[in-house]
Amino acid sequence: MCRVVYSPKYNIGFYGLERLHPFDSRKYGRAWKQLRARFGKSLRKIHVSPEQAVSREELLLVHTERYLKQLSNSMYVAQALELAPLQFLPFWIIDHHVLRPMRWATRGTIVAAQEALEHGLAINLSGGYHHAKPAQGEGFCVYADAAIAVAALRQQALISETDRIVYVDTDAHQGNGVSHAFMNDNRAFLFDIFNAQAYPQNDVAARERLDCEIGITRSWTDREYMLELENNLPGFLDSVSQSPVGLAIYNAGTDIFAGDPLGGLNISAATIRERDLYVVNELRKRQIPTIMLLSGGYTKQSFQLVADSVIGLLERAGY
Ligand SMILES: [Zn+2]
């Protein structure tokens, strides 16, 4: 059983400004188009669309009041999103065209978490803003969607206060925002495999918070990469799942792809697909409700990498 969460409202784009950042801000829509081409009308049966953007109350489950106030400053948002020209735009334009799509995607992560509890696996075709901290935005991330989704499930009593959370991050960059969001929450167990020489390598506190840390470099081959995952992930999941696990979050960035301008790694398209199927299978065979988030991916092929993995996951689920 599986659900795909997506809304056309996820896609960012106005006046060509989005092209100033390597981020393909329309990769969500492009990936969705690939899924439609493959599954046709039957996609409707498993598609869930968020009905609204995340609310201020939901954001405050993780973020501070002061931070949300900072997000109404064009200069601040331009820095967090690494889009310097934004600082010259009136705030309402930034809010409408850039932040609002991200609030829709953040709500998509909450919806995915709810769907995962019912259906086992739910893929949000966006989200994974793993650099956003409770009181600071950076690295093109402003809303800490993973931590917000966990807090929302707890608030709605959909998981228990004592349930553990598993977080697996295979994006090329260390998920420092997630580390900070769960810094003092020992119910969350964090597994992160990332480029040790890339941003945010100076965030020592974030790395120290990890329960399983694997730093890799550009010289790693496909085979070495998969072996390292296979040698570490099952043991990590076995130890965490000795107590009840409420939710697993799989942050499946595709920026480990060879040639990605920000990832700095050298992994093939076939291995990215293999990785995603492997990680989700390890989680699901332990009966852990799982959400998958897209996170980074900065090449023209990123949408295709995402689509290949999601198609593989849906086919394996029998669709
Ligand atoms: Zn990344």
Side-chain angles (χ1 to χ4, degrees), residues 47-60:
H47 173 217
V48 180
S49 186
E51 285 171 3
Q52 63 206 43
V54 69
S55 69
R56 184 180 155 76
E57 289 67 37
E58 286 165 327
L59 292 176
L60 284 169

Side-chain angles (χ1 to χ4, degrees), residues 143-155:
Y143 302 122
D145 61 326
I148 291 168
V150 170
L153 291 192
R154 290 204 200 281
Q155 192 193 39

